[in-house]
Amino acid sequence: MEANAALKIIKTSALLDNAVAMVSKDGRENIVQASGKILASLMSVAAYIFCEEQGFNQILMEEESVYVHNVLEHENDHALVLYWGMKAPSPLHDRDGVFRYIFQKLENGECVISVESIEHDQAPRRAGVVRLYARRLVRLSPVSSNSTRLTVTTVFDLGGSIPRFINNSVSTPVAARAPLATLRYFNQIKPVEAFKVADAKELGQLLVLDMDGVRGKGDTHPLEAKLRTFVDRSAVLRGVRAALPWFEVLLFHVLRNELHRPKGTKKALADFGEEEAKKAGRGLANALLANVSAEAAVDEWMRTYPALGEMELQFPFLRPMMNAVAGAILAQVAWGVKARAYLGAAVSAADAVSDAVMINEFYEMGDTGTAKGLLAMVGGNVAFQTIIVVTQNHGLKKNKWRTMLFEMLSVVTFVKPGLDAHRVASGAEHLQGAAVAPLTEMIITKAGELVFEAIPGLVLQVAALLRAKEKGTTAVVSILISTASTALTATTIFWDDDTDPGVRKRNPDVAGVIPDLGRGTAFVVVFVMCALQVIAKAAATALLIVTNGSWLLGYIATDHALHLIYRVARGDLVFFAPLPAAASYPGGLLFRVVMKTIADFTGSPLAHDPLICGGAYWLFNLATSQVSVLACVHLYLEYAEAPGDDVDKMDAGVLWPGAGGLAAAWLLTFYFFAFHVAVPKLRPSLWSWRSGRQHVQGYFMNGGGDEARFDVFDNNLLLWEKDIGEDVRVWAAENWASWKEEKPAWFKVEMIPDHFIPAAELEQLGYHRRRRGSAASSIRESFREEEEEGGGGEGGGVGRGEV
């Protein structure tokens, strides 16, 4: 760093000291004023380093070897003249420019850097070199105490006879480089103790971005060299390498992202070496293949290699950094979890095509009732998906109509399941204004697809096959495709929920049934279990339709009534989401019917969650479903009439062995899942009597920390306020001051009902008291507006912002 740059920072540090002293001396009355001065001083430091500090410029010159930088003159403390040269390949000629940088600190705490083209004696025009023209305005605006918005406005003209589209293709990256270069610089010089979650995420994204050009090459030497340079420049990564010399080997194989036969190791961190680091680094690619999101993959990866968990305890920033690395890799590679997304889209599309073929075949056979029934079910699913699209996107703040149109197009082309899976796998963020997160949207749309199309459509096709004179191959293939599609959907709904790190953290006594090792075997077992349940239950229901349709309606009504009575008796009928009271019971009724139907026809282990069916009722439901299959076979053989004069009933010699074989296969698969796949400590949750009400209150009552207790606010008041509301109110009042001061990431005031906020705080916030309402209630809307005005939440350094 140059002496004058160091002097500038020393002077600025003195300003900071004075501002801090003013806070200590004058108390709270001048905190806002002092904070403004502190931020203004920080902006001055940022602006100076951004344009003058030679470490920053050195990085730029090394990264961009086609550019030449040279400071010609320091006019004063707020202005300098810089020569900038570019040697472009043919047909572009050499180009250069001379620019004056002027730094100005505004009264509102912002810092502005203006750049304009000038002429200077020390850099005269040269023959054969085109003098380019540029004007740039850089505005650094404080968003919060640890976040700054960087806005760059640029006019750039390469000069000479350059077409406008070529000029723009060069000038746009030049304009965009400023925030990226600033992010890179500040993430490289920050020490470990200054690293926050947002900083670690940015560092991971920069790591993958900087390695893009060499990651997929056959020759690994460029990747090794570039990775070593990246680590050398990053203070925080140098610290990890100093403690763990094999750290670069781990990162190298993570970035290569090549699938290999999994080779785990239980060695502790102290015994880890390069060979173990190589195995662990390669292991992330396998985890990315098996999980729905980058976070879930990293979670499995760190559980598979215990040494990585020890490393996380020593360097907490590593997990968010690796989450970002995994997310960036998933966004680029053509395999991995994307293959699962494409598989989901392909299976869904194949199911839709097979349904279309069968609808046409039914019309040709004269069975218009079945054809219209299938059409109605497809239409019902499309209508449901459309409602979800509108509900999810109607509150978007940006590109609402374009997004909604695109999503509706994916619905009518039957590729939305794959699109949702791809979005979640790529780590898509929860868009501002969207109703729910991408993972929740995916689970809702999959559940709707099961209830409105997959399950009733499969039953209708099986019933049509039983009535048909000729059992055609096309019909059998269509039924098999529908069975596979339904089972895959049910499996992935459970899988995505159970392996999600956030869900496991919130519900450690329920989520996490899938083991950390052997997940491929676990997936196959759950899929087979669901497929056996699907085909058995669909066949049994079709047999009852053929026997006597009114019996089926009576059975369904009785079965669901029994379930609802059980829910009412346990105080569990309301929907657990934080809906208004008027919507909680209707929403709960719809939710119970939908989830009970899915549990009946798929046996998905997702239903063992106390908020859905609960372990005991899920197990009871599975048992009664298997018994109902045998009962329906008996009723069909005893009471069903022949479908037609020339069509015989199914023979008992076929039905009884088929039903018995399916029941035996399902029982063996369930036993293997419960006693050889499920994590032993969570096995009791598969038959637990715990209710949803007890589960929700457990967030607060189980003795966890404040973060765990805070989850109670994300659940319906009707499930907990009457029993523990006063305890929650006292707890919030006692801890509010410390939460407000420390500002933990989980402390989201917009989630808390007004009457649980201390009166003085509520008055200070300026909100009127209210009961807990919908997600669009006044306090949530107010916080959204503040986020939009403030630039979107916490940041991780000077570079966070926009171009």
Side-chain angles (χ1 to χ4, degrees), residues 161 175 189 221 236 407 428 440 463 588 648 673 705 720 738 765 797:
S161 302
I189 66 171
H221 290 91
V236 68
E407 292 290 313
T440 304
D648 295 329
F673 167 75
W720 60 269
S738 61
L765 289 170

Coordinates of all heavy atoms in Angstrom, one line a residue, residues 161 175 189 221 236 407 428 440 463 588 648 673 705 720 738 765 797:
S161 N -14.0 3.2 -35.9 CA -15.2 2.7 -36.7 C -15.7 1.4 -36.1 O -15.6 0.3 -36.7 CB -14.7 2.5 -38.1 OG -14.3 3.7 -38.6
A175 N -18.6 -2.2 -17.4 CA -19.4 -1.6 -16.3 C -19.7 -2.6 -15.2 O -19.7 -2.2 -14.0 CB -20.7 -1.1 -17.0
I189 N -9.3 -9.8 1.5 CA -8.5 -9.2 2.6 C -9.2 -9.4 3.9 O -8.6 -9.1 4.9 CB -8.3 -7.7 2.3 CG1 -9.6 -6.9 2.3 CG2 -7.5 -7.5 1.0 CD1 -9.4 -5.4 2.3
H221 N -3.6 -29.1 -14.5 CA -2.6 -28.2 -14.0 C -3.1 -26.7 -13.9 O -2.8 -26.0 -12.9 CB -1.3 -28.3 -14.8 CG -0.6 -29.6 -14.6 ND1 -0.8 -30.7 -15.4 CD2 0.4 -29.9 -13.7 CE1 0.0 -31.7 -15.0 NE2 0.7 -31.2 -14.0
V236 N -8.6 -15.5 4.5 CA -9.4 -16.5 5.3 C -9.0 -17.9 4.8 O -8.9 -18.9 5.6 CB -10.9 -16.2 5.2 CG1 -11.4 -16.5 3.8 CG2 -11.7 -17.1 6.2
E407 N -44.6 -19.6 -16.2 CA -45.0 -20.7 -15.3 C -46.2 -21.4 -15.8 O -46.4 -22.7 -15.8 CB -45.2 -20.2 -13.9 CG -44.0 -19.7 -13.2 CD -43.1 -20.9 -12.8 OE1 -43.5 -21.9 -12.3 OE2 -41.9 -20.7 -13.1
A428 N -32.4 -21.9 -6.2 CA -33.1 -20.7 -6.5 C -33.5 -20.1 -5.2 O -34.0 -20.7 -4.2 CB -34.3 -21.0 -7.4
T440 N -41.2 -25.5 -1.0 CA -42.6 -25.7 -0.5 C -43.5 -25.7 -1.7 O -44.5 -26.5 -1.8 CB -43.0 -24.5 0.4 OG1 -42.0 -24.5 1.5 CG2 -44.4 -24.7 0.9
A463 N -59.9 -49.7 -13.7 CA -61.3 -50.1 -13.7 C -61.7 -50.3 -15.2 O -62.4 -51.3 -15.5 CB -62.2 -49.0 -13.1
G588 N -57.6 -26.5 7.1 CA -57.2 -27.8 7.7 C -58.0 -29.0 7.2 O -57.5 -30.1 7.0
D648 N -65.7 -61.8 -19.2 CA -65.7 -62.5 -17.9 C -65.1 -61.7 -16.8 O -64.3 -60.8 -17.0 CB -65.0 -63.8 -18.1 CG -65.7 -64.8 -19.0 OD1 -66.9 -64.7 -19.1 OD2 -65.0 -65.6 -19.7
F673 N -37.5 -51.3 5.3 CA -37.4 -49.8 5.5 C -37.3 -49.4 7.0 O -36.5 -48.6 7.4 CB -38.6 -49.1 4.8 CG -38.7 -47.6 5.2 CD1 -37.9 -46.7 4.7 CD2 -39.7 -47.2 6.1 CE1 -38.0 -45.4 5.0 CE2 -39.8 -45.9 6.5 CZ -38.9 -45.0 5.9
G705 N -32.8 -23.8 22.4 CA -32.4 -22.4 22.5 C -33.4 -21.5 21.9 O -34.5 -21.9 21.5
W720 N -51.3 -23.4 19.7 CA -50.4 -23.2 20.9 C -50.8 -22.0 21.8 O -50.4 -22.1 23.0 CB -49.0 -23.1 20.4 CG -48.7 -21.9 19.5 CD1 -48.8 -21.9 18.1 CD2 -48.3 -20.6 19.9 NE1 -48.4 -20.7 17.6 CE2 -48.1 -19.8 18.7 CE3 -48.1 -19.9 21.1 CZ2 -47.8 -18.5 18.7 CZ3 -47.7 -18.6 21.1 CH2 -47.5 -17.9 19.9
S738 N -32.2 -8.1 24.2 CA -30.9 -8.7 23.7 C -31.1 -9.1 22.2 O -30.1 -9.0 21.4 CB -30.6 -10.0 24.5 OG -31.7 -10.9 24.4
L765 N -42.2 0.8 17.1 CA -42.2 0.4 15.7 C -43.3 1.2 14.9 O -43.2 1.2 13.6 CB -42.5 -1.1 15.6 CG -41.4 -2.0 16.1 CD1 -41.9 -3.5 16.2 CD2 -40.2 -2.0 15.1
G797 N -20.4 -6.7 2.7 CA -19.3 -5.9 2.4 C -19.6 -4.9 1.4 O -20.8 -4.7 1.0

